[in-house]
Amino acid sequence: MSEPVRTARMRIQADSEAMERDLSRLVLTLVELVRQLVERQAIRRMEQTDLTDEQIEVLGLTLMRLEEAMTEVCERFGLSPSELNLDLGPLGTLLPQE
Amino acid sequence: MTETGTYLYAVTEETPSSDVEGLHGVADTQVRTIPCEGLVAYVSTVPLDQFGAEPLRRSMEDLDWLGETAGAHHHVVEEVADRAPVAPVRLVTVYRGDEQVKDLLRERHDDFVDVLSSVAGRREWGVKAYVDLSAPGPSRTAPSLGGPGTAYLKRRQAGLRSREEAWRQAAAHAEHLHATLSTVAVASHRHRAQDPELSGRKEAMLLNGAYLVERSRDDEFLKTVDDLRDRGVEIELTGPWAPYSFTDLEVRGDG
């Protein structure tokens, strides 16, 4: 069986409306990536118990609000969370699959 | 008059019945044979305005064209496989002319003979296994003491944990499937798992395996597959195929 051929789903279109949408998508993807990285780091530090209860609460609240904000912005751009996931070919996807 | 090239589908050993009358290949071209030193190449003459290196780069992105071409290629390989042990060649392997194909048969003669003898009387089966990782695991979040922020982090922690655990189990299961199937096969090969967009399924693909099975052990292999169907893992069996995964001689074409 031959090597699978990928469809170009992240290809940037040259008309301005699509371009704007694709760029927003790219920016939101990067923001979401950073958010998830920080979240994982927070969880790791929580597990290592080098945070006070108060610090955990503040971190948790901040991350929770960021997530809510992301959801809101995505809705405004008409994007679903799965659309923020870049396909990196052999490396898999940028964000973990939900 | 457009320039033409020689499109190579497959190679077999010379057989008494290498009649390809009426067999059509890619772009609806007539398939013919090139015998050379005890081997036979199955080819057809294709226009280079479609199958030259440059046009191919463009047409390979056209999924309709690709699907049609792959279908025609596969059809020829299957027809040939019905007659003799076959070494299929990669899709769109094009040579400048028949002489270059003969050169290939001469230069790689021993490799072809080796590969053909290793697949004689054997066929390839494909086994794909899928698991639905999105199925929610047991919620293990104890009512937490802290405020909403702490509860949020705890929930995410549990989510990460159960997903990691699910992946670990799934990977172990895939190893088990592959090992079990390999015991019945002469040779086996794990292809890279396809992502949902390509497989057309939302579940994650655990295993994308190819197994070269002795015809006489087909029933045993199929029974092994059936016995493995359980525990939330869905198994998809395809085949029998020509031994695509076990005959890769890195034949590239020069067109």
Side-chain angles (χ1 to χ4, degrees), chain A residues 38 42 51 54-64, chain B residues 149 153:
Chain A
V38 172
L51 295 173
E54 201 176 325
Q55 285 173 319
I56 291 176
E57 177 63 20
V58 172
L59 259 176
L61 267 184
T62 313
L63 288 164
M64 187 169 72
Chain B
L153 272 190

Side-chain angles (χ1 to χ4, degrees), chain B residues 21-84:
Chain B
E21 188 73 30
L23 182 59
H24 288 265
V26 295
D28 206 29
T29 52
Q30 172 69 49
V31 176
R32 55 198 174 79
T33 54
I34 303 176
C36 180
E37 298 199 6
L39 295 171
V40 183
Y42 291 77
V43 301
S44 63
T45 304
V46 291
L48 284 185
D49 58 3
Q50 250 193 85
F51 288 91
E54 193 48 44
L56 272 182
R57 241 191 295 283
R58 284 194 304 276
S59 13
M60 289 296 273
E61 291 190 3
D62 178 349
L63 289 186
D64 289 337
W65 183 90
L66 195 64
E68 218 169 276
T69 306
H73 182 95
H74 180 64
H75 173 68
V76 173
V77 170
E78 289 296 308
E79 285 289 318
V80 174
D82 277 349
R83 306 158 192 210

Side-chain angles (χ1 to χ4, degrees), chain B residues 183-199:
Chain B
T183 59
V184 190
V186 184
S188 58
H189 181 76
R190 274 181 86 162
H191 293 285
R192 185 151 63 79
Q194 298 168 340
D195 64 23
E197 194 182 348
L198 199 70
S199 68

Side-chain angles (χ1 to χ4, degrees), chain B residues 4 10 42-43 120 127 138 144 163 171-172 218:
Chain B
T4 57
Y42 291 77
V43 301
V127 176
S144 89
R163 196 187 298 150
D218 274 355

Side-chain angles (χ1 to χ4, degrees), chain B residues 8-25:
Chain B
L8 178 61
Y9 299 87
V11 175
T12 68
E13 298 216 25
E14 205 157 12
T15 54
S17 67
S18 41
D19 175 29
V20 286
E21 188 73 30
L23 182 59
H24 288 265

Side-chain angles (χ1 to χ4, degrees), chain B:
Chain B
M1 182 71 197
T2 51
E3 277 190 278
T4 57
T6 302
Y7 183 112
L8 178 61
Y9 299 87
V11 175
T12 68
E13 298 216 25
E14 205 157 12
T15 54
S17 67
S18 41
D19 175 29
V20 286
E21 188 73 30
L23 182 59
H24 288 265
V26 295
D28 206 29
T29 52
Q30 172 69 49
V31 176
R32 55 198 174 79
T33 54
I34 303 176
C36 180
E37 298 199 6
L39 295 171
V40 183
Y42 291 77
V43 301
S44 63
T45 304
V46 291
L48 284 185
D49 58 3
Q50 250 193 85
F51 288 91
E54 193 48 44
L56 272 182
R57 241 191 295 283
R58 284 194 304 276
S59 13
M60 289 296 273
E61 291 190 3
D62 178 349
L63 289 186
D64 289 337
W65 183 90
L66 195 64
E68 218 169 276
T69 306
H73 182 95
H74 180 64
H75 173 68
V76 173
V77 170
E78 289 296 308
E79 285 289 318
V80 174
D82 277 349
R83 306 158 192 210
V86 65
V89 174
R90 259 168 219 253
L91 193 62
V92 298
T93 303
V94 182
Y95 287 86
R96 283 193 301 275
D98 290 8
E99 245 349 277
Q100 282 72 26
V101 174
K102 281 187 185 166
D103 286 346
L104 170 79
L105 295 186
R106 271 192 289 267
E107 278 163 26
R108 306 291 302 274
H109 180 272
D110 295 351
D111 293 340
F112 275 116
V113 170
D114 280 353
V115 157
L116 288 169
S117 70
S118 76
V119 298
R122 297 159 179 178
R123 293 182 298 182
E124 175 172 335
W125 294 88
V127 176
K128 292 185 175 125
Y130 301 89
V131 67
D132 189 356
L133 289 174
S134 65
S139 170
R140 290 174 298 149
T141 34
S144 89
L145 298 170
T150 310
Y152 171 82
L153 272 190
K154 289 263 159 72
R155 209 159 55 234
R156 301 301 265 187
Q157 182 189 26
L160 273 181
R161 276 291 145 70
S162 65
R163 196 187 298 150
E164 277 168 14
E165 185 54 30
W167 269 112
R168 225 188 330 271
Q169 280 177 9
H173 198 78
E175 285 302 323
H176 170 69
L177 289 176
H178 183 67
T180 309
L181 292 170
S182 298
T183 59
V184 190
V186 184
S188 58
H189 181 76
R190 274 181 86 162
H191 293 285
R192 185 151 63 79
Q194 298 168 340
D195 64 23
E197 194 182 348
L198 199 70
S199 68
R201 304 177 59 131
K202 63 175 172 41
E203 301 94 334
M205 189 184 287
L206 289 185
L207 174 69
N208 185 7
Y211 304 88
L212 189 65
V213 179
E214 205 75 62
R215 269 170 200 265
S216 59
R217 295 188 78 183
D218 274 355
D219 289 342
E220 191 184 343
F221 184 79
L222 298 184
K223 184 169 180 312
T224 308
V225 172
D226 274 333
D227 290 346
L228 288 167
R229 293 180 199 273
D230 71 331
R231 285 179 289 170
V233 173
E234 198 174 323
I235 292 181
E236 187 180 287
L237 174 76
T238 59
W241 305 100
Y244 287 95
S245 305
F246 302 96
T247 48
D248 191 6
L249 286 175
E250 308 261 322
V251 171
R252 297 282 181 216
D254 61 1

